[in-house]
């Protein structure tokens, strides 16, 4: 039995990885080193959680962290006891996302959104907009500039959106849109944002704090 808060009508799922050196942000290890890359993963996840907690000040949502690597104890020691944690489990990214959405809707969610922690532009305002758009649209997508997406939101589980996609390629967003069109889903896109995955993306992370408090 999953330990969800009571009646999570609006549910946010955060996909992240425990920041173990050598196993996270591997494409950045050549410039940051394994510890530096893990520290970036740690900081980006903490920044995402901060934005989500800002959102919770004015919108009633339940939040769940789906993690890879580490274990429940390590996640709680890192991010605290006031979050719900669940392992991402087996399978490719698509099957892990589809499973997390299925379980959220099974547990009573009426709107569910998945975000990662690679995109420092994802703030409370964008998340609030995404939940609001789910009043009107079947599918909300946040396009990433590299061709993927940083956010997906649905009102029901639609596993077809996560099947037969080559994750990590520049075609992920376009392929998802094509599947949605075949399924006759109404869809809206959020502001395109940049991920931090490669050495040339690192300035994006620094810019996230320009103008912050």
């Amino acid at each position: 039995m999953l330990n969800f808060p009571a009646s999570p009508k609006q549910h946010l799922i955060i996909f992240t990885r425990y920041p173990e050196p050598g196993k996270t942000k591997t494409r950045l290890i050549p410039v940051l080193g394994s510890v530096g890359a893990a520290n970036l993963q740690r900081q980006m996840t903490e920044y995402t959680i901060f934005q989500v907690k800002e959102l919770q000040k004015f919108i009633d949502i339940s939040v769940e962290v789906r993690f890879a690597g580490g274990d429940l104890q390590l996640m709680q020691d890192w991010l605290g006891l006031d979050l719900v944690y669940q392992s991402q489990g087996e399978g490719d990214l698509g099957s892990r996302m589809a499973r997390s959405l299925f379980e959220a809707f099974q547990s009573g969610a009426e709107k569910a959104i998945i975000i990662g922690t690679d995109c420092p532009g994802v703030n409370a305002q964008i998340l609030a907009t995404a939940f609001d758009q789910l009043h009107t649209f079947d599918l909300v997508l946040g396009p990433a500039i590299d061709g993927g997406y940083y956010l997906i939101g649905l009102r029901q589980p639609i596993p077809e959106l996560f099947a037969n996609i080559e994750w990590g390629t520049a075609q992920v967003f376009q392929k998802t849109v094509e599947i949605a069109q075949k399924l006759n889903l109404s869809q809206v896109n959020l502001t395109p944002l940049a991920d931090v995955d490669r050495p040339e993306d690192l300035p994006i992370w620094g810019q996230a704090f320009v103008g912050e408090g």
Side-chain angles (χ1 to χ4, degrees):
M1 181 66 192
L2 296 175
N3 175 30
F4 285 110
S7 190
K9 300 299 182 195
Q10 300 192 118
H11 189 61
L12 180 67
I13 302 163
I14 303 167
F15 266 58
T16 192
R17 175 174 285 280
Y18 184 74
E20 182 180 344
K23 295 193 176 176
T24 181
K25 289 275 168 224
T26 51
R27 283 181 284 189
L28 293 172
I29 289 175
V31 289
L32 296 179
S34 59
V35 172
N39 283 339
L40 180 65
Q41 170 72 13
R42 180 182 296 273
Q43 292 164 9
M44 294 185 77
T45 300
E46 290 169 1
Y47 180 75
T48 302
I49 300 282
F50 171 79
Q51 294 295 334
V52 169
K53 289 185 173 175
E54 290 295 298
L55 176 69
Q56 286 182 297
K57 292 176 182 176
F58 57 94
I59 293 185
D60 184 22
I61 61 167
S62 54
V63 178
E64 166 194 3
V65 176
R66 289 256 166 172
F67 64 92
D71 57 33
L72 178 60
Q73 185 68 55
L74 287 168
M75 294 300 295
Q76 289 177 333
D77 290 347
W78 171 26
L79 295 173
L81 299 172
D82 58 340
L83 290 164
V84 174
Y85 300 95
Q86 185 76 18
S87 170
Q88 290 179 19
E90 298 300 315
D92 69 1
L93 179 60
S95 60
R96 286 178 275 143
M97 287 198 290
R99 182 166 55 238
S100 71
L101 286 166
F102 177 77
E103 291 173 357
F105 289 115
Q106 260 201 327
S107 300
E110 294 175 0
K111 302 175 187 174
I113 287 173
I114 300 177
I115 58 172
T117 59
D118 292 341
C119 187
V122 175
N123 56 28
Q125 184 57 54
I126 283 174
L127 293 171
T129 300
F131 276 113
D132 191 53
Q133 294 282 26
L134 283 172
H135 283 302
T136 311
F137 296 94
D138 299 320
L139 170 66
V140 176
L141 284 174
I145 289 168
D146 66 4
Y149 56 77
Y150 62 83
L151 178 152
I152 184 166
L154 290 166
R155 298 191 286 194
Q156 61 181 326
I158 304 176
E160 295 92 332
L161 289 171
F162 304 97
N164 302 314
I165 290 179
E166 289 186 48
W167 301 99
T169 68
Q171 286 75 49
V172 170
F173 174 79
Q174 189 54 44
K175 176 85 182 199
T176 305
V177 170
E178 288 169 8
I179 296 168
Q181 288 170 345
K182 283 179 186 159
L183 295 171
N184 292 318
L185 301 179
S186 60
Q187 183 222 326
V188 64
N189 295 336
L190 303 170
T191 307
L193 294 173
D195 281 340
V196 177
D197 283 322
R198 299 175 178 84
E200 58 267 30
D201 302 330
L202 284 170
I204 298 160
W205 175 237
Q207 289 161 12
F209 299 99
V210 177
E212 290 272 330

